[in-house]
Amino acid sequence: MKHRSRCTSPVCVVLVLLLAPRVGAAPWEAQVGDLGHNVHRFAIHIGASYGGLSGSEVPKTEAGPGFEAGLSYRVLGSLSVYGGYAWHTSDVNGQITQLLDVYVRGDTRSGNVSGNVKSQRFRGAVRVDAYRVEDWKFQVYAIAGGLYSLVDATIDTVDGKPPESYFVPVEGGGFVEIDPGTISDNNWGVFGRVGLEYFLGERFAADGSFSFEVLDAPPGTKDLSTFTVGVTYRI
């Protein structure tokens, strides 16, 4: 007798929901039998998020709030293109040596730092909605794509005092002044999300999701994990 294996991991659950009959609310456009997709092409999304930075470039950062806005356009069946903007802030408190690869002290020793890190992300991605049946109000979706991040770190104090500028040698001779009080870093990265919508009417839906963003390669350098709640309006 043959035994069939079962997959119970979170990844398998998400794949089953995405490939199973998609859920949602009217209006609805049948495709095969009772399966179909929402007839609206555009979807506007706004939300508030909470999460934290992690990685070697952003040590001792705490979880903090953020917000986002996005727009998607359904191009074919359950496939949409997505573009959006997001903002997030995290406080920095603790004994560290570097922040965004910049020494917090001119002697390269560690210091007890107080400050914050703010990030802006411009996202471009594709969205895939699970197929649905007409009388269900839930819809699972996944988003994956790229992003461009603008990260700014502000150090208020180092060992209880304002940070001091210092000079470092540069290739070819000479020195350049480094101000650890304000540090900026811009990079390309990737973005992924798994979410669930609950339809409150024909066009409105409440939305909850988890996102993971790699702001700087490789993963583990500067990553951002957030939970987001918001609303979506379809046109």
Side-chain angles (χ1 to χ4, degrees):
M1 179 181 293
K2 295 183 178 179
H3 296 278
R4 296 182 179 179
S5 62
R6 295 182 178 180
C7 179
T8 58
S9 70
V11 173
C12 291
V13 173
V14 171
L15 288 174
V16 168
L17 288 172
L18 285 172
L19 297 175
R22 187 176 103 182
V23 296
W28 124 287
E29 184 175 285
Q31 296 297 296
V32 179
D34 290 330
L35 304 182
H37 56 252
N38 198 292
V39 297
H40 299 305
R41 290 285 182 178
F42 288 95
I44 302 171
H45 169 78
I46 58 173
S49 62
Y50 188 80
L53 283 165
S54 61
S56 59
E57 290 190 6
V58 284
K60 305 295 184 179
T61 53
E62 302 173 352
F67 67 86
E68 65 173 52
L71 175 67
S72 64
Y73 175 73
R74 184 169 62 85
V75 294
L76 179 65
S78 297
L79 180 67
S80 301
V81 292
Y82 171 89
Y85 168 83
W87 178 91
H88 179 266
T89 182
S90 289
D91 288 336
V92 180
N93 289 290
Q95 194 80 15
I96 63 176
T97 302
Q98 293 179 316
L99 187 61
L100 300 185
D101 283 339
V102 174
Y103 286 106
V104 300
R105 292 172 49 125
D107 57 10
T108 71
R109 296 171 59 187
S110 66
N112 191 7
V113 170
S114 174
N116 65 76
V117 178
K118 297 178 181 178
S119 69
Q120 301 179 74
R121 288 99 64 208
F122 299 88
R123 301 162 170 166
V126 295
R127 167 173 168 150
V128 180
D129 295 328
Y131 280 97
R132 67 182 179 89
V133 293
E134 186 174 7
D135 56 348
W136 284 28
K137 293 185 177 182
F138 293 96
Q139 176 171 288
V140 178
Y141 68 90
I143 299 177
L147 62 83
Y148 183 70
S149 66
L150 308 174
V151 181
D152 296 300
T154 301
I155 297 178
D156 298 320
T157 61
V158 177
D159 296 327
K161 300 182 295 184
E164 298 180 356
S165 299
Y166 56 89
F167 292 88
V168 297
V170 295
E171 187 177 350
F175 294 84
V176 63
E177 184 177 8
I178 302 297
D179 178 12
T182 303
I183 312 167
S184 296
D185 189 24
N186 307 329
N187 287 285
W188 294 96
V190 294
F191 160 66
R193 165 173 292 177
V194 176
L196 176 68
E197 289 183 326
Y198 179 80
F199 284 82
L200 303 173
E202 179 180 321
R203 298 176 182 269
F204 278 102
D207 181 281
S209 64
F210 170 77
S211 301
F212 183 74
E213 299 170 85
V214 178
L215 306 185
D216 192 4
T221 303
K222 188 161 65 256
D223 305 327
L224 178 59
S225 302
T226 53
F227 291 94
T228 303
V229 293
V231 294
T232 301
Y233 179 73
R234 286 179 165 78
I235 302 173

